[in-house]
């Protein structure tokens, strides 16, 4: 198993990249940097499967954030600031980073 910081780990190249429930833990200014590095690692037609929280998600988002914080505290880690965006904001960021995207619940 390899552990590394997604903000600085070498990505190499891949046909597909999966990022599940990670980006909201990063500072907002780091999110585009990671996505641009992912875009560079993918060939034309490559796939990014991304699961992110929807800042417009209301009660569901608040519950998810509460569970995230509870899990961190249970592991003895400090609470973190989470940096969520609305689905529209995520899609705009993806577009700026060179991705075509579609959102699915």
């Amino acid at each position: 198993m390899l552990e590394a910081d997604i903000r600085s780990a070498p990505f190499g190249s891949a046909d597909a990249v999966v990022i599940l429930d990670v980006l909201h833990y990063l500072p907002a200014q780091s999110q585009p940097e990671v996505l641009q590095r992912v875009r560079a690692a993918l060939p034309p037609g490559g796939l990014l499967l991304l699961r992110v929280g929807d800042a417009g998600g209301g009660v569901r988002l608040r519950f998810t954030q509460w569970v995230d914080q509870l899990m961190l505290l249970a592991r003895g880690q400090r609470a973190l600031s989470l940096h969520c965006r609305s689905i529209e904001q995520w899609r705009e960021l993806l577009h700026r980073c060179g991705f075509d995207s579609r959102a699915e619940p």
Side-chain angles (χ1 to χ4, degrees):
M1 179 167 80
L2 173 67
E3 286 187 33
D5 187 327
I6 193 171
R7 294 171 294 180
S8 58
F11 288 166
S13 62
D15 292 327
V17 173
V18 177
I19 302 176
L20 303 176
D21 300 328
V22 173
L23 290 181
H24 64 276
Y25 288 107
L26 302 178
Q29 67 271 16
S30 296
Q31 294 168 348
E33 295 168 9
V34 168
L35 291 170
Q36 289 165 347
R37 292 180 56 241
V38 168
R39 179 67 250 156
L42 290 169
L47 174 70
L48 168 61
L49 178 61
L50 180 64
R51 185 169 69 186
V52 293
D54 177 6
V59 173
R60 284 192 340 183
L61 177 71
R62 303 294 174 260
F63 178 75
T64 300
Q65 290 175 325
W66 180 79
V67 169
D68 280 348
Q69 296 295 348
L70 186 63
M71 293 306 297
L72 288 169
L73 293 172
R75 293 180 187 147
Q77 299 172 339
R78 64 180 174 81
L80 295 173
S81 293
L82 301 177
H83 304 280
C84 297
R85 300 170 188 260
S86 69
I87 293 300
E88 294 78 23
Q89 291 169 327
W90 283 116
R91 293 193 67 208
E92 173 58 29
L93 175 58
L94 288 164
H95 179 75
R96 287 194 323 260
C97 292
F99 290 97
D100 293 324
S101 68
R102 74 172 189 246
E104 296 186 16

